[in-house]
């Protein structure tokens, strides 16, 4: 099992930027991919972005394309989500997830999940 710890959430003004981090601990991550999902109150969990651990292929949800960037540091077992030009509708709890096997990265078929970090976009 992989333990995931998110950090970097908080309050940000519309149009601002925020960077989330997710550190995988327990053992060196050697799985297939890591991703970010979010869930706003009263809404279903939504795919945000994913990155394959080998190769670094990236995938994005339509609502964040061109504004968010996912990256990883394999030496640090950490994945990042750079959020730019944020909007009030980006307000949600953001969850990091790890897939230890081949999965459809845009689905929720990940093996391990973090506890989430709150992001609030408000003036």
């Amino acid at each position: 099992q992989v333990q995931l710890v998110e950090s970097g959430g908080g309050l940000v003004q519309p149009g601002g930027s925020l960077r989330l981090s997710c550190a995988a601990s327990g053992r060196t991550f050697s799985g297939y991919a890591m991703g970010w999902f979010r869930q706003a109150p009263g809404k279903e969990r939504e795919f945000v972005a994913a990155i394959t651990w080998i190769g670094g292929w990236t995938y994005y949800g339509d609502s964040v394309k061109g504004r968010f960037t996912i990256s990883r540091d394999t030496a640090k077992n950490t994945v990042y989500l750079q959020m730019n030009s944020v909007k009030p509708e980006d307000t949600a709890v953001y969850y990091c997830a790890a897939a230890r096997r081949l999965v459809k990265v845009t689905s929720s078929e990940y093996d391990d999940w973090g506890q989430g970090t709150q992001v609030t976009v408000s003036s």
Side-chain angles (χ1 to χ4, degrees), residues 7-109:
S7 61
L11 176 65
V12 59
Q13 292 187 343
S17 298
L18 204 63
R19 189 176 83 154
L20 305 183
S21 299
C22 173
S25 62
R27 59 182 181 183
T28 300
F29 184 71
S30 58
Y32 177 64
M34 292 184 74
W36 288 95
F37 290 75
R38 67 186 182 186
Q39 188 166 20
K43 295 188 177 181
E44 294 187 353
R45 185 164 52 190
E46 175 188 16
F47 168 73
V48 176
I51 187 166
T52 60
W53 208 244
I54 304 299
W57 294 100
T58 57
Y59 305 82
Y60 295 94
D62 289 340
S63 60
V64 306
K65 280 180 182 176
R67 300 188 298 121
F68 292 8
T69 302
I70 189 170
S71 61
R72 88 256 192 261
D73 186 330
T74 56
K76 295 182 178 180
N77 272 355
T78 300
V79 65
Y80 305 96
L81 184 69
Q82 178 66 42
M83 306 168 61
N84 297 331
S85 303
V86 296
K87 305 174 181 179
E89 50 264 43
D90 293 323
T91 296
V93 176
Y94 283 71
Y95 297 92
C96 175
R100 288 178 265 129
R101 56 195 166 83
L102 179 64
V103 299
K104 182 179 179 182
V105 296
T106 58
S107 74
S108 298
E109 299 172 357

